[in-house]
Amino acid sequence: MAKFIGYVGTYTKEESKGVYQFVLDTEKRELLDVKLAAELDNPTYVTVSNDNKYLYAVAKEGGNGGVTAFSINSETGALTKLNSQASAGSPPCHVSVNHDNSNVVTANYHTTKIVSYVTNADGSLQPAVSVIEHEGSGPHERQEKPHMHYAGFTPDEKYVIAIDLGSDRVITYSVHNGELNEASVFTTKPGSGPRHITFHPNGKFAYVMTELSSEVVVLHYNENDGSFAAQQYIPTIPEDFSETNDGSAVHISADGQYVYAGNRGHNSIAVYKVEQDSGQLTFVEWTSTEGNWPRDFVLDPTGDFLVATNQKSNTMTLFSRDASTGKLEKIQTDVKVPEPVCVKFLNV
């Protein structure tokens, strides 16, 4: 049995003060010790370096937006600010770091930009290397312009994937020393509003969550040129659900057997079984997150637990996970954390 440290990125519009940390005690099967780890304005998304030495958070600094670097205390998980890089405009909504912690990328919903940074040896950030502005729109009323919602690395890290909710595009950029160049573009169904992506551990398949149409798009990934081809669209909400739903996060179990998709409105996590040869999905069940507006969730390092963040009810919910069936069982609700958005664990 073990204890794992996790972090929560938040909005700071009401009571939140920044990035929070907590502990998952796998023996007690509960979330403990929720506390403020770093004061920061609107650190809605965070990411942890593979070696657990650094945390990067999107952030607002007055009228500027950008990313802030922290060092992580190896024993306590405490955060110490290293530096930040920011420019005029709203803060980004997503941040990722590559395996060797040399390159950090952000996506900005409001400014249409994907930004790439190279890090220093101490984990701090150099000024932006690549800043790419996007153009385009879609048929939905929320697609009046590009809305970049995700920027992250492919499993082989030859490419950075940028996802544009505003123009229904998944854009592949080649990356070299932090510099980005467009390599390929995949377009989802018009008006679907792609939001996030996760890759199968085998590197052959990827799963895109759509926000506007509430679907998971199953893609075949070609590592030779970074291109994608659609295999399947599968809904994340019941056919008869008529209220507003915004698709949120999508994650896959470490063994590649199950995909999980979050629903804000239906307030659930949809579970799917993965067919290993094709990558296609079969629906298993919906599980209520016992809170309002589940913005994100994460599987713990053992794969035996799942933590969901309910933004509008200011709570986290803890589930146990059956690795053989993929199903979730609620074990703790109403863990208080203000305005939670993103949740991440230290790596094991």
Side-chain angles (χ1 to χ4, degrees):
M1 298 295 179
K3 294 180 179 180
F4 299 111
I5 294 173
Y7 297 94
V8 182
T10 71
Y11 278 110
T12 55
K13 298 175 181 179
E14 297 169 2
E15 295 180 13
S16 174
K17 301 293 183 185
V19 179
Y20 288 75
Q21 71 179 85
F22 65 93
V23 172
L24 166 62
D25 188 319
T26 61
E27 185 172 7
K28 292 183 177 179
R29 290 161 56 91
E30 63 180 330
L31 302 176
L32 307 164
D33 302 332
V34 178
K35 60 185 178 182
L36 182 66
E39 283 204 35
L40 206 58
D41 199 357
N42 273 8
T44 56
Y45 213 87
V46 302
T47 192
V48 175
S49 65
N50 185 65
D51 61 8
N52 292 332
K53 290 184 177 180
Y54 309 106
L55 180 143
Y56 299 93
V58 304
K60 183 174 182 282
E61 295 184 354
N64 294 337
V67 60
T68 300
F70 295 90
S71 63
I72 301 174
N73 183 293
S74 60
E75 293 183 3
T76 66
L79 302 180
T80 301
K81 182 178 177 180
L82 296 172
N83 76 332
S84 61
Q85 295 289 348
S87 57
S90 300
C93 65
H94 192 275
V95 59
S96 298
V97 60
N98 65 347
H99 192 80
D100 67 4
N101 202 62
S102 61
N103 191 190
V104 172
V105 290
T106 64
N108 198 307
Y109 184 90
H110 295 287
T111 68
T112 81
K113 294 176 183 176
I114 299 295
V115 182
S116 175
Y117 306 87
V118 170
T119 63
N120 296 305
D122 67 353
S124 61
L125 295 156
Q126 297 181 22
V129 175
S130 278
V131 179
I132 299 176
E133 294 191 47
H134 296 81
E135 296 180 352
S137 60
H140 192 279
E141 62 183 3
R142 290 179 51 201
Q143 294 181 309
E144 79 291 352
K145 69 172 187 176
H147 290 301
M148 310 310 297
H149 222 310
Y150 174 98
F153 297 86
T154 56
D156 56 20
E157 298 199 334
K158 294 195 308 188
Y159 302 101
V160 165
I161 305 301
I163 299 187
D164 180 8
L165 182 149
S167 69
D168 298 314
R169 294 188 303 161
V170 178
I171 308 161
T172 304
Y173 292 97
S174 63
V175 56
H176 181 67
N177 294 330
E179 291 192 11
L180 305 179
N181 290 284
E182 188 177 303
S184 181
V185 177
F186 170 79
T187 303
T188 62
K189 290 193 302 191
S192 56
R195 186 178 194 273
H196 277 194
I197 190 171
T198 190
F199 281 85
H200 192 286
N202 67 16
K204 298 177 183 177
F205 311 119
Y207 303 89
V208 168
M209 183 72 186
T210 69
E211 179 166 328
L212 302 180
S213 66
S214 299
E215 294 172 292
V216 176
V217 189
V218 182
L219 302 175
H220 181 269
Y221 170 61
N222 184 335
E223 62 181 9
N224 294 320
D225 59 8
S227 64
F228 294 95
Q231 308 264 76
Q232 181 188 22
Y233 284 76
I234 189 168
T236 67
I237 53 175
E239 202 173 306
D240 59 358
F241 186 77
S242 58
E243 299 169 45
T244 297
N245 189 78
D246 288 353
S248 59
V250 61
H251 298 292
I252 190 168
S253 58
D255 61 7
Q257 295 292 325
Y258 293 96
V259 164
Y260 298 84
N263 291 302
R264 294 171 290 176
H266 191 247
N267 292 340
S268 67
I269 294 173
V271 184
Y272 305 90
K273 174 71 174 172
V274 180
E275 204 290 306
Q276 296 301 307
D277 291 333
S278 68
Q280 294 196 18
L281 303 179
T282 302
F283 174 74
V284 175
E285 68 170 4
W286 287 287
T287 301
S288 169
T289 64
E290 304 295 331
N292 190 7
W293 218 247
R295 186 68 177 254
D296 193 17
F297 60 90
V298 66
L299 292 163
D300 87 305
T302 68
D304 294 334
F305 298 92
L306 184 147
V307 179
T309 52
N310 298 299
Q311 181 188 335
K312 292 185 178 181
S313 52
N314 300 307
T315 59
M316 292 191 293
T317 302
L318 176 65
F319 300 88
S320 62
R321 190 181 82 93
D322 187 321
S324 61
T325 66
K327 293 183 176 183
L328 304 174
E329 180 183 351
K330 172 188 65 183
I331 54 177
Q332 188 184 14
T333 61
D334 298 333
V335 180
K336 296 297 183 184
V337 60
E339 304 169 80
V341 179
C342 166
V343 58
K344 290 280 189 291
F345 278 106
L346 290 179
N347 302 296
V348 173

